[in-house]
Amino acid sequence: MSIPALEVDDLQTHFLTRAGVAKAVNGVSFRVERGEILGLVGESGSGKTVTGFSILGLVDPPGQVVGGTVRVGGDVVSGLDDRAMARIRGKRVSMIFQDPMMTLNPVLRIDTQMIETIRAHETISVTAARARAREALALVGIAAPDERLLAYPHQLSGGMRQRVAIATAMLNRPEVIIADEPTTALDVTIQAQILYEVQELCRRFGTALVWITHDLSVVASLADRIAVMYAGRIVEEGPVDDVLDRPLHPYTRGLIDSVPQPGLRGGRLVPIPGMAPALVGLGEGCAFRARCARASMACASQPALRELRPGQRARCVHPLTVGSHAA
Amino acid sequence: MTLFLLRRLLQGAIVVVVMSLVVFIGVYAIGNPVDILINPDATPEIKQQAIERLGLDRPFLEQYGTFVVRALQGDLGRSFIYDEPALKLILQAMPATLELAIASMVLALVFGIPLGMAAGYWPDSWGANVIMTGSILGFSLPTFWVGLMLIVLFSVELGWLPSGGRGETVVVFGVPLSFLTWNGLTHLFLPALNLALFKISLVIRLTRAGMRETLQQDYIKYARSKGLSRHRVVFVHAFRNILIPIVTVLGLEIGSVIAFAVVTETVFSWPGMGKLIIDSINVLDRPVVVAYLMLTVVMFVVINLLVDLTYSLVDPRVRLGGRPR
Ligand SMILES: Nc1ncnc2c1ncn2[C@@H]1O[C@H](COP(=O)(O)OP(=O)(O)OP(=O)(O)O)[C@@H](O)[C@H]1O
Ligand code: SF4
Ligand SMILES: [Mg+2]
């Protein structure tokens, strides 16, 4: 078996709040192959962003990565000091943030912000770095890249800024890109364009992509595999079509039913009853059981992530559809 | 950009006009202008001559008109004491004050920014506590008292630095400057430090607050996510953003530095406008007071204009003529 581009094993990140310990990431494991796109989905507060930050060692107090191993191309990158981690960030693993309005530094020109990303990792002249930045902008479909390089962020539209962020993430040809809901702030057409382009780029350069979103429809068109997060844990994981067509976990089912289906006009949207649980003081057992129609006494102890179909795993005592499809 | 400049110039002109009215009403219309404008020791004949010459028997508006016309020609009256044009006296004292003000601004930045950045970067360290306690002292101790203590310590006890005066000056483009000679620098240091103390505290607080707020921003985390060194994140990404409020506030504070210079100049016998105006008030040399007020107004307007221009250089978002989209 080839070495995965990114391998996360039993990652644990806690926030020490006044109310107690919030286990924002509670034993998350997954792997992404070269050129593969993993969709990481879940409701707000389920720990998607913290997972991304934990991989890059960017969790700030009161948060702390307290356990787990992260490997990039087989090399362990967890537990490194800040200097060593800085050599990984932006070079082997890049991140694209959620809000394009807030992530580019407002007082620095685009060229400054792109060139520094290259020069942080290799000795190269400013001219050569600029040429590469220009090329990267052209690659993500920005017209007149020379002009854009001289612009300040506020002179660009939201979609353009996010393209800049994507181009910046691609600059050093990283093995992994973590994209944290990078298109949610944009309108649908631009979102679709950007999704398409990113997919193309990752296939072309063999970049592994972790696409964080709470929007299942985005994942359906983009990802190869999908991992569903709930209260700091991955509750279901598998190939995108399997998970979306035949979910095993009741929470995944709920997510799917709460998304408007283009094919099913007039079909009723069913929101998941109840609210995402508070993380502090979350006891043992399945975190979803307060909202789950199938819950039983057995759900009071934490279910393991089991492979219930080839390549598809779920963390549920009473998974859906397995019985009916078992034959 | 031109439009921006024109608008600011117009605003400045309006401020000057309003202020001239205030000064005029304050000095000429309230009380007896004869007492204010004519040397009280003059004989009644001379007084009568002067009243006619100055048009003090004319209607109010006409008098104001004359005042403005004369002011525009640079004539703001003659000092009773020195028998020289008041404006000339003020202008002669201005470089000393400006030198003192600029020196203390430089001190404020040189001490305030690094200390504030350190206190903001390591907010819970004991060093930050020391810095912040010091800044509270700098805010609350009265300037004149600190000035006296500085003299007692450095001049009287230690004998390291002189206690007053400008020391040797070098004339550059007709302007005498202290900071170009060693002797002048030693004279400049204590008063500049005295005047700067409040500003240092202010800059420390601004920088620390800015640093703490900026470090929370997404763009800082993003910068870190690109693998930039801590040095670059702090000194380029954070610092450039912190600079904006500091430049603004400090620019607006130039006015108060010049105002506070009155105290410091008196304590250190620094021969600037502040000392001149206090001396003039003491001996009721009113034309000098009028000239001081008018000149400071004009100076403030000019300084504010320069601050606005600097501001637009530091923050691209306020830069005019930028291409949107
Ligand atoms: N600074 C913090 N202090 C305390 N707790 C935090 C902090 N940041 C995150 N958390 C905890 O981590 C949990 C997960 O947050 P995270 O931002 O990863 O959610 P998310 O899945 O990305 O949600 P969203 O879709 O809204 O972005 C939160 O529910 C919260 O309890
Ligand atoms: S483990 Fe139990 S409570 Fe949790 S999702 Fe499965 S059935 Fe529902
Ligand atoms: Mg998030």
Side-chain angles (χ1 to χ4, degrees):
Chain A
M1 203 179 199
S2 71
I3 298 167
L6 174 69
E7 197 173 5
V8 176
D9 188 31
D10 198 27
L11 192 63
Q12 315 227 9
T13 303
H14 294 180
F15 283 87
L16 307 167
T17 65
R18 231 169 289 147
V21 178
K23 300 181 178 177
V25 178
N26 192 2
V28 165
S29 306
F30 60 84
R31 49 196 299 172
V32 194
E33 308 295 333
R34 290 191 72 228
E36 186 181 44
I37 301 177
L38 173 75
L40 188 59
V41 296
E43 281 170 305
S44 190
S46 56
K48 306 179 299 286
T49 298
V50 175
T51 301
F53 285 157
S54 303
I55 290 170
L56 278 168
L58 284 175
V59 178
D60 290 320
Q64 203 188 346
V65 178
V66 295
T69 315
V70 178
R71 287 189 185 79
V72 175
D75 303 328
V76 175
V77 301
S78 47
L80 299 179
D81 65 30
D82 204 58
R83 263 166 176 276
M85 201 61 223
R87 285 196 284 273
I88 309 290
R89 296 184 194 131
K91 174 72 180 165
R92 301 188 66 181
V93 185
S94 297
M95 189 153 173
I96 305 167
F97 285 42
Q98 177 157 11
D99 189 345
M101 301 297 164
M102 305 297 295
T103 51
L104 294 173
N105 194 321
V107 301
L108 299 178
R109 281 196 328 219
I110 302 299
D111 56 354
T112 313
Q113 303 194 48
M114 292 186 77
I115 290 169
E116 68 180 2
T117 313
I118 303 175
R119 283 166 57 91
H121 298 286
E122 55 190 287
T123 321
I124 175 177
S125 73
V126 174
T127 325
R130 168 185 297 274
R132 231 161 87 190
R134 185 192 176 285
E135 206 177 293
L137 285 183
L139 208 61
V140 295
I142 287 186
D146 287 311
E147 218 173 296
R148 301 303 175 218
L149 275 175
L150 296 178
Y152 284 92
H154 71 280
Q155 294 168 319
L156 305 180
S157 67
M160 194 108 71
R161 282 191 232 191
Q162 204 54 294
R163 279 166 205 259
V164 169
I166 292 166
T168 308
M170 306 284 308
L171 275 176
N172 293 318
R173 296 275 174 271
E175 291 146 76
V176 182
I177 293 179
I178 298 169
D180 188 359
E181 314 210 32
T183 56
T184 23
L186 307 177
D187 72 56
V188 185
T189 351
I190 297 184
Q191 192 171 332
Q193 267 174 25
I194 291 186
L195 286 180
Y196 174 74
E197 279 159 17
V198 166
Q199 195 172 23
E200 281 287 304
L201 288 172
C202 286
R203 300 260 187 272
R204 193 157 135 203
F205 298 113
T207 316
L209 181 66
V210 179
W211 191 276
I212 296 174
T213 178
H214 54 250
D215 188 344
L216 274 181
S217 56
V218 166
V219 164
S221 61
L222 175 77
D224 303 307
R225 276 187 319 123
I226 181 170
V228 180
M229 255 187 113
Y230 190 78
R233 285 192 163 96
I234 289 183
V235 295
E236 177 157 9
E237 197 218 312
V240 69
D241 293 336
D242 294 354
V243 173
L244 292 183
D245 293 345
R246 293 172 303 161
L248 292 166
H249 199 281
Y251 175 65
T252 314
R253 171 91 263 160
L255 273 185
I256 295 167
D257 290 342
S258 63
V259 173
Q261 306 266 326
L264 293 173
R265 255 194 325 130
R268 221 156 44 84
L269 292 186
V270 192
I272 305 175
M275 289 191 343
L279 288 179
V280 175
L282 196 64
E284 267 305 291
C286 175
F288 189 57
R289 72 184 186 280
R291 303 165 76 183
C292 179
R294 302 167 73 89
S296 75
M297 292 300 289
C299 308
S301 60
Q302 182 59 232
L305 196 58
R306 292 179 294 154
E307 180 151 355
L308 299 168
R309 274 195 214 107
Q312 189 178 359
R313 301 182 298 162
R315 197 185 278 282
C316 179
V317 181
H318 310 293
L320 306 162
T321 59
V322 167
S324 49
H325 284 261
Chain B
M1 200 64 193
T2 332
L3 192 70
F4 169 80
L5 260 177
L6 279 178
R7 213 167 53 209
R8 286 306 153 96
L9 281 174
L10 188 68
Q11 283 171 359
I14 292 173
V15 171
V16 173
V17 168
V18 168
M19 191 61 197
S20 76
L21 256 175
V22 170
V23 170
F24 180 77
I25 291 173
V27 180
Y28 283 64
I30 300 175
N32 187 352
V34 179
D35 293 343
I36 296 171
L37 291 171
I38 302 164
N39 194 332
D41 299 336
T43 63
E45 296 83 66
I46 295 181
K47 275 194 186 181
Q48 193 49 44
Q49 272 178 8
I51 288 174
E52 281 164 18
R53 183 169 52 86
L54 296 174
L56 293 179
D57 46 358
R58 321 296 296 173
F60 177 83
L61 271 181
E62 195 183 321
Q63 282 191 45
Y64 176 67
T66 326
F67 167 77
V68 171
V69 170
R70 296 169 68 98
L72 284 178
Q73 291 162 353
D75 179 2
L76 291 166
R78 281 182 92 80
S79 162
F80 306 147
I81 307 295
Y82 302 97
D83 196 29
E84 288 204 55
L87 190 63
K88 186 176 155 209
L89 283 172
I90 300 284
L91 285 177
Q92 276 168 356
M94 192 159 76
T97 296
L98 288 183
E99 183 175 20
L100 184 62
I102 290 169
S104 66
M105 280 297 179
V106 169
L107 285 181
L109 293 173
V110 164
F111 285 106
I113 289 183
L115 290 175
M117 285 183 80
Y121 195 78
W122 295 286
D124 301 318
S125 64
W126 62 265
N129 285 328
V130 172
I131 292 170
M132 295 326 285
T133 312
S135 84
I136 292 173
L137 288 181
F139 265 129
S140 39
L141 296 178
T143 306
F144 77 92
W145 183 81
V146 175
L148 291 175
M149 288 304 114
L150 287 174
I151 291 178
V152 167
L153 182 63
F154 290 101
S155 308
V156 180
E157 292 295 326
L158 298 170
W160 290 352
L161 294 165
S163 66
R166 274 191 93 174
E168 286 168 24
T169 54
V170 176
V171 177
V172 179
F173 297 118
V175 178
L177 294 172
S178 289
F179 79 96
L180 292 173
T181 67
W182 176 249
N183 177 278
L185 261 187
T186 58
H187 280 82
L188 177 60
F189 184 73
L190 279 188
L193 183 65
N194 180 217
L195 190 53
L197 222 53
F198 188 87
K199 302 302 160 214
I200 294 176
S201 306
L202 184 73
V203 173
I204 286 179
R205 304 218 139 230
L206 278 174
T207 311
R208 185 189 90 116
M211 188 77 183
R212 297 205 57 183
E213 199 196 307
T214 307
L215 288 180
Q216 305 291 317
Q217 299 296 315
D218 273 359
Y219 57 76
I220 293 297
K221 198 163 224 177
Y222 177 63
R224 287 165 64 203
S225 87
K226 298 194 298 186
L228 305 184
S229 67
R230 196 201 295 215
H231 186 273
R232 183 155 180 105
V233 171
V234 171
F235 290 99
V236 177
H237 282 258
F239 184 68
R240 285 290 301 267
N241 282 278
I242 298 171
L243 213 54
I244 295 167
I246 295 178
V247 167
T248 323
V249 174
L250 223 56
L252 300 173
E253 288 288 321
I254 293 178
S256 90
V257 167
I258 289 167
F260 270 103
V262 171
V263 177
T264 298
E265 286 179 6
T266 308
V267 173
F268 288 89
S269 337
W270 185 263
M273 292 192 301
K275 186 164 179 330
L276 177 65
I277 192 70
I278 293 291
D279 292 347
S280 302
I281 290 172
N282 280 337
V283 298
L284 298 178
D285 196 352
R286 291 186 178 106
V288 179
V289 178
V290 171
Y292 174 81
L293 290 175
M294 287 316 298
L295 202 72
T296 18
V297 173
V298 173
M299 211 154 76
F300 277 28
V301 167
V302 172
I303 288 170
N304 278 345
L305 186 65
L306 292 179
V307 170
D308 279 338
L309 290 178
T310 319
Y311 188 54
S312 69
L313 286 183
V314 178
D315 188 350
R317 284 164 296 186
V318 301
R319 198 170 299 168
L320 283 120
R323 246 168 49 85
R325 286 293 134 94

